[in-house]
Amino acid sequence: MAEELKIGVLASGRGSNFQAIIDAVTAGKINAKIAVCISDVKDAYALERARKNLIAAEVIDPKVFQKREDYDGKIVETLKKHEVNLVLLAGYMRIVSPVLVEEFPKKIINIHPALLPSFPGLHVQRKAIEHGARFSGCTVHFVDAGMDTGPIIIQAVVPVLQDDTEDSLAARILKQEHRIYPEAVRLFAEGRLSVQGRRVVIKGAPECRDEFLANPPVRE
Ligand code: GRF
């Protein structure tokens, strides 16, 4: 029998993407258990969401550690304690070091609120507007040693409107994040993702192309 999928979530903030994953697991769309939510921020609302759903919630305070590697060592230890075999970054505001990445190769997934490789890093909704991009969106990708550089699993596109503010664009993108992040985790859970070089191949996936068609970039 295949090993049970046990998800560990790393989150620093409100955790709405985490909630989307919780909802998909609860609805039986993702065959997995969410074993733990770990945060670097003690009052992150994501922790509250974990507790409400009887998921272990742990805070690991970065200030206690001298180096990022030491901090990530503690994260690895905690994930292992909960027997995690898939790590989801959900609004996790720290750069992960090789200590974490090498322990979970192709088993760490992130959601980013732009169409990578455009606009990696922070404040990317603002950057997309300021750059004059006509479209932006979100990207679910595997995490590698770089920043927002890992193989892309799913993307969704939204228009950037002339009167958009950072907040209005972020809200439009977030709606799509909540749709594609659980979808990517479902594909992982079903063993349908394989990484070939930079590319992620999705087994038996007409929805790969439908993904774009189902999400045409029209004005809401
Ligand atoms: C999302 O926009 C995500 O793409 C980015 O940080 C934000 C987190 O939001 N990495 P939430 O905590 O999931 O609500």
Side-chain angles (χ1 to χ4, degrees):
M1 213 176 82
E3 188 186 19
E4 187 190 10
L5 189 62
K6 289 194 181 153
I7 295 174
V9 174
L10 305 186
S12 305
R14 66 189 165 183
S16 70
N17 278 289
F18 174 33
Q19 187 67 53
I21 303 291
I22 294 173
D23 293 347
V25 169
T26 308
K29 292 182 188 155
I30 300 172
N31 183 14
K33 175 185 169 182
I34 306 176
V36 63
C37 172
I38 305 173
S39 184
D40 55 329
V41 177
K42 72 171 183 342
D43 52 5
Y45 190 64
L47 293 167
E48 197 51 39
R49 294 184 196 268
R51 291 184 200 110
K52 279 186 184 159
N53 288 279
L54 307 179
I55 295 165
E58 303 229 16
V59 180
I60 304 179
D61 181 359
K63 288 196 288 293
V64 178
F65 300 85
Q66 286 198 333
K67 289 186 292 177
R68 184 190 295 162
E69 287 72 19
D70 297 341
Y71 181 80
D72 277 359
K74 183 68 186 175
I75 297 271
V76 168
E77 186 190 309
T78 310
L79 291 168
K80 292 210 151 165
K81 183 177 83 185
H82 291 277
E83 299 175 339
V84 164
N85 45 21
L86 173 65
V87 181
L88 302 181
L89 309 187
Y92 184 58
M93 299 311 284
R94 296 175 60 84
I95 294 172
V96 298
S97 73
V99 170
L100 179 53
V101 177
E102 282 163 19
E103 199 66 45
F104 293 93
K106 295 179 192 135
K107 288 189 163 60
I108 306 178
I109 297 178
N110 182 40
I111 177 109
H112 181 77
L115 289 177
L116 292 171
S118 289
F119 308 116
L122 295 174
H123 309 298
V124 296
Q125 298 93 339
R126 188 170 75 213
K127 286 177 188 161
I129 294 171
E130 284 173 0
H131 194 86
R134 292 294 186 197
F135 296 96
S136 189
C138 46
T139 304
V140 183
H141 65 94
F142 283 109
V143 172
D144 64 10
M147 191 177 52
D148 302 325
T149 53
I152 291 167
I153 303 170
I154 301 185
Q155 294 185 303
V157 179
V158 306
V160 180
L161 305 179
Q162 305 235 111
D163 53 359
D164 260 333
T165 61
E166 186 176 355
D167 285 350
S168 65
L169 178 59
R172 190 176 307 117
I173 293 172
L174 193 64
K175 222 165 136 184
Q176 297 302 320
E177 294 185 38
H178 296 163
R179 188 173 66 81
I180 67 171
Y181 206 1
E183 178 62 12
V185 176
R186 178 180 72 85
L187 293 169
F188 182 97
E190 292 174 357
R192 291 168 62 190
L193 302 181
S194 65
V195 181
Q196 301 180 6
R198 270 219 54 87
R199 305 186 69 198
V200 176
V201 176
I202 304 178
K203 220 181 284 165
E207 72 257 42
C208 223
R209 271 170 289 138
D210 292 349
E211 169 59 31
F212 188 82
L213 297 173
N215 176 36
V218 291
R219 189 176 183 120
E220 281 162 50

